[in-house]
Amino acid sequence: MERTCKEEKRTTRIKFKKMYWLLGRTSQLSTYNKLLLYKQILKPVWTYGIQLWGCTRPSNVEIIQRFQNKVLRSSVDAPWYVRNSDLHRDLGMATVPDEIQRFAIKTRKDSIIM
């Protein structure tokens, strides 16, 4: 799973670098549009196969969480003293562990219904 996590990080980092001119600190796009781009393009990359992430090491989840923090911080040009938890709360974005839990519950409900 560690190798997969590193591949996910690499893939998302490459996509973010290609989109930095849209999502970066100096972009003229509104915060709403930047978050929309993140949700539509970058987030699906790391959520693919997320149901299996519940059984991975916490350090692997933290790698993806750090990436998400970096993208959100860059998108809104947040200063260094703003906490990541405040950033997530203000932007209405779930953290990576919350997303893993949400997808796991959804998958479990879907498997019970079928």
Side-chain angles (χ1 to χ4, degrees):
M1 191 68 176
E2 186 173 335
R3 183 172 159 244
T4 304
C5 183
K6 288 181 181 178
E7 289 173 0
E8 298 270 345
K9 178 186 172 189
R10 188 177 143 270
T11 305
T12 53
R13 189 176 64 228
I14 290 169
K15 281 192 181 269
F16 178 61
K17 283 182 179 181
K18 288 181 180 178
M19 296 180 57
Y20 187 78
W21 66 279
L22 283 172
L23 296 174
R25 297 178 186 275
T26 59
S27 172
Q28 297 298 315
L29 280 179
S30 67
T31 302
Y32 174 79
N33 287 332
K34 288 179 183 182
L35 292 177
L36 189 62
L37 283 172
Y38 170 74
K39 290 177 187 176
Q40 295 295 317
I41 297 174
L42 294 176
K43 189 175 177 183
V45 173
W46 65 261
T47 56
Y48 179 75
I50 199 170
Q51 295 85 356
L52 300 175
W53 285 45
C55 55
T56 188
R57 285 191 275 164
S59 61
N60 291 334
V61 175
E62 289 168 2
I63 290 171
I64 302 301
Q65 182 63 56
R66 282 192 301 267
F67 170 76
Q68 185 183 34
N69 293 341
K70 185 186 295 186
V71 171
L72 294 179
R73 187 170 293 280
S74 176
S75 295
V76 297
D77 195 19
W80 61 269
Y81 52 83
V82 175
R83 292 181 181 184
N84 289 326
S85 58
D86 293 340
L87 200 58
H88 282 273
R89 185 194 66 226
D90 293 345
L91 296 175
M93 296 290 294
T95 61
V96 174
D98 292 342
E99 286 292 326
I100 291 172
Q101 187 175 16
R102 186 176 69 84
F103 272 88
I105 290 170
K106 181 181 172 186
T107 302
R108 186 163 188 251
K109 284 182 181 177
D110 290 347
S111 66
I112 291 174
I113 292 173
M114 292 180 181

